[in-house]
Amino acid sequence: QVQLAESGGGSVQAGGSLRLSCVASGSDSRSNCISWFRQAPGKEREGVAAIYVGGSSTFYVDSVKGRFTISQDNAKNTVYLQMNSLKPEDTAMYYCAARWRCPPRSGGEVLWAGYSPSYWGQGTQVTVSS
């Protein structure tokens, strides 16, 4: 069983930054890939970024490329999501998730559709005001 705990959410003005943290415990082979998802009120959940534990490959949804950076500190079992140049449309509940593999790519695009992690955290709220 894998437990994921997010922190770092809050309220910022547009153009500001936040860093989310996801601490993983009880890891197993089904948590080789840690990802961040978000869900805004009335919208479907969407994948934002992902990274292989201990690896360097990263995966981003197009809307956050160049603004968000996913990274990890393996000694702390922690994955971070650095969010810069935040926009009001980034407002959502952000969830940390884990699965044995990261989403596939096709032609340079990350295929988030159908990607379903095995484990989920409780979420942390990010609110960006204009």
Side-chain angles (χ1 to χ4, degrees), residues 38 46-49 59-68 87 107-112:
R38 66 185 179 186
E46 70 167 344
V48 176
F59 307 74
Y60 296 98
V61 68
D62 286 348
S63 60
V64 307
K65 284 181 180 177
R67 300 189 299 122
F68 291 12
K87 304 175 181 180
E109 180 182 359
V110 178
L111 304 179
W112 290 101

Side-chain angles (χ1 to χ4, degrees), residues 22-57:
C22 172
V23 179
S25 59
S27 61
D28 61 23
S29 61
R30 290 171 291 181
S31 61
N32 288 341
C33 178
I34 302 295
S35 54
W36 287 96
F37 281 73
R38 66 185 179 186
Q39 187 166 22
K43 294 188 177 181
E44 292 188 356
R45 184 178 60 199
E46 70 167 344
V48 176
I51 188 168
Y52 276 108
V53 175
S56 58
S57 295

Side-chain angles (χ1 to χ4, degrees), residues 4-106:
L4 303 169
E6 307 95 333
S7 63
S11 297
V12 296
Q13 290 191 329
S17 299
L18 282 174
R19 188 178 79 161
L20 306 183
S21 299
C22 172
V23 179
S25 59
S27 61
D28 61 23
S29 61
R30 290 171 291 181
S31 61
N32 288 341
C33 178
I34 302 295
S35 54
W36 287 96
F37 281 73
R38 66 185 179 186
Q39 187 166 22
K43 294 188 177 181
E44 292 188 356
R45 184 178 60 199
E46 70 167 344
V48 176
I51 188 168
Y52 276 108
V53 175
S56 58
S57 295
T58 55
F59 307 74
Y60 296 98
V61 68
D62 286 348
S63 60
V64 307
K65 284 181 180 177
R67 300 189 299 122
F68 291 12
T69 302
I70 190 169
S71 63
Q72 59 188 312
D73 184 334
N74 292 328
K76 296 181 178 180
N77 292 328
T78 302
V79 171
Y80 303 101
L81 185 67
Q82 178 66 44
M83 306 186 296
N84 299 328
S85 301
L86 282 161
K87 304 175 181 180
E89 51 263 43
D90 294 317
T91 294
M93 184 70 80
Y94 283 71
Y95 298 91
C96 177
R99 194 183 176 193
W100 67 277
R101 68 169 179 84
C102 286
R105 301 182 204 264
S106 176

